Amino acid sequence: MSENTTAPIRKFKTGIPGFDDITMGGLPEGRTTLISGTAGSAKTVFAVQFLSAGIEQSGMPGVFVTFEESPQDIRQNMASFGWDIRAWEEKGLWAFVDASPQPAEDTIVAGSYDLGALLARIEYAVQKIKAQRVAVDSLGAIFTQFTEHVSVRHELFRIASALKKMGVTAVLTAERVQEYGEIARYGVEEFVADNVIILRNALDDEKRRRTIEILKFRGTAHQKGEFPFTIMPGAGIAVIPLSAIELKQSSSIIRITSGNKELDEMCGGGFFRDSIILVSGATGTGKTLTVTEFIAGGAAVGERCLLFAFEESREQLFRNATGWGVDFRKMEEEGSLKLICRYPEVAGPEDHLINMKAEIENFAPNRIAVDSLSALERIATVKGFREFVISLTSFIKHKETAGLFTSTTPSLMGGTSVTEAHISTVTDSIIMLRYVEMFGEMRRGLTVLKMRGSMHDKEIREFTIDGRGMHIGNAFKNVTGILVGNPMSIPQSEIERISTLFQNERGI
Amino acid sequence: MTAKYQLTLYITGQTPRSRQAIENLYHTCKAMLDGRYEITIIDVLEHPELAEEEKILATPTLIKVSPPPLRRIIGDLSDTEKVFIGLDLQLNGTFHLPQGAQKDE
C-alpha cells in the first residue's frame, strides 16, 4: 500500500555537461549530496558550477556557503570559467554565506556552543533569493575552525536535515586524504548526506586523469564506475558519459566513394555512408594519402569534410595534398573542407575529445578524418585512450557521418598498434597498408581486412603512389606472410603443386 | 581605566544555552564592571541579517566591541577563566557564577 502513496525520488537536472547522463537525470531532488575528493580534485569548481549552471540555464537562484575561501577569492578564481558571480549577486541570483575564517579576529571559546547562527544565515539567504540550489564548500574546513568535533558533527547533521526541510537540492564538499581509501577525512561527512559522489585526480603513468564516480544514490538508479571528466577554460567541468552511450545508431546502405576508384571496387562499391573506417599501416605506407583521397572524393561530390590532423601542420598537409593533385587550400576557401591541426600534447585526451565534438557539432560535416588517431596514444593512459576512442567513434556514429581514422603501426613490417586493439571492434571497415619486401625492393600492399555488411576483395594488392595519387594494381599472387611482416616468395612450381594437391585426392 | 564596555551577545532563540549565556554575562558584568557596560542582545533567528553582517557562525557569540581589541568569545560563557581573558579582566579574590551555571563538563 505504502508503495503507492510514496512518491519516487525525482531527479534534478544540474546542467553540468555529461553529469546528468551518468546520474540518469541529475541529482536526487530536495536531497543533499556529498562531493568528496582530494586536494585539487575540482570540488570547489563542481560546487560553483552546480549553482552557475542553474543560473545560466534556468535562472535558478543559488546560495553558496563557503568555509574555506573568501567570497572575493571565489569570485576571482571562477571568473576564468566565464562565471560572473558579482553580476549574479546584484541580480539576486547568487548569495554568499561567508563562513570563511576571519584571520584578523581573535576567537576564544568559553563554554558550549552550536552553529545555530550559521544555520539561521543559510535559511535567511535561501529565503531572501528564493534559492533552489545550495552549495557548501567544504565540510572539513568547519572541523578546522571549530575544535569540538563531537558538537560539530552533531551540528552538521542539523544543517543537513534543515537543508532538506527547506526543500533545496544541495551539494556539500569534503576532503579526502587518498584517492582510494576512506570517503572523507573526518569519517562522518558521508553520513551527513544522502548521496556520495567522488572526484578523483589520480596520477597514472605520469599523467593526471580526472574521474567522477557516483558511490551512493539513496533509492535511485545511476551509472556505475568511474567516468573521466575534464575542466575546460570558459566552461568548467564536462563529464564524458561512456557507458551512457547507447548502441542505437541506424544503419545506411548508401555507399560513398573512398576517393579512389579501385579501392571502391575492392570494398564492393565504396564505404557505407555512416561507417567508421580504420586505415592501419607503418609510417610512409600511404595513410595520409588515403585520407587526402577520401576528402577529395567527398568534396568532389559537394560533401563537407572535416580533417583533424595530429601529426602534420597545415602547410605540410597542403604541400602533401598538392603533391598528389589535390588542392586543400581551394577546398577550404570553398567551404567544403575544414582543416584542424593540433599538436597532441597541447591538451589531455578528454579536452581533445570535447574540442573535437564541438568542432563536429559546429561544422556538421558529411565526412570526418583523423590523421592519426595513434598520435594521441602518447598523451593518454591506456584506459584513457580506450575511452577516448570509444567516445569519439560512438559520437561520430550517432551523427551518421563517415569517419576515417588512421593508425600508425609501431613496426615497419606487419604488426598492430594499441589503437587497433581498441578501435577494431567499433570499426565497420579495416584497410591495411603494408610494406612488402621483395627481391631487395620495398613495395606497398593494400588489403581490405574487414567490410561489415558487404562483400569485399580479399586479396592483398600491390599499389603505387605518383603525382595523381594511389593506384591499386594486381594481387601479390606468389607471396605469403605480408600481414605478419614476413613476406616470402613462393616459387610458381610450388603454387601449382598446392593447387593440384586436393584435385588429385578428389580424382581418386 | 574607566572605559565603558560595549558588548553584543548573539543568541539563537530562547534555548537553555541562550539563557545560560545571558545569565552568565550579566552576572560577570555586574560583579566586575560596576555599571561600566552596555549589553546588546541579538537573536539571530529574528535578525539573521545582523548575523550575516558580523559573520557569526556559532551561538552564543559575545563580541567585545569596545574597548579594543575587538574580540569574539563563543560558547555559553560558563568558562569564567576564558571569559575574563576575553574581556581583559583581572581576577581578584574569588568569583563564582550563580548556581547551576558551573563550567561545562
Side-chain angles (χ1 to χ4, degrees), chain A residues 124-137:
Chain A
Y124 169 66
V126 167
Q127 280 162 15
K128 198 172 83 178
I129 65 165
K130 297 184 178 60
Q132 286 166 276
R133 300 180 182 214
V134 173
V136 180
D137 183 53

Side-chain angles (χ1 to χ4, degrees), chain A residues 8 28 33 41 54 73 129 145 148 154-155 184 188 205 211 217 228 235 244 275 319 389 403 450 453 470-471 480 493:
Chain A
T33 302
S41 61
D73 282 350
I129 65 165
Q145 280 193 51
E148 298 198 5
H154 181 253
E155 289 306 299
V188 287
D205 195 17
T211 63
F217 252 26
S275 63
R319 187 199 62 202
V389 168
K450 169 177 161 186
M470 182 188 280
H471 305 281
T480 68
S493 57

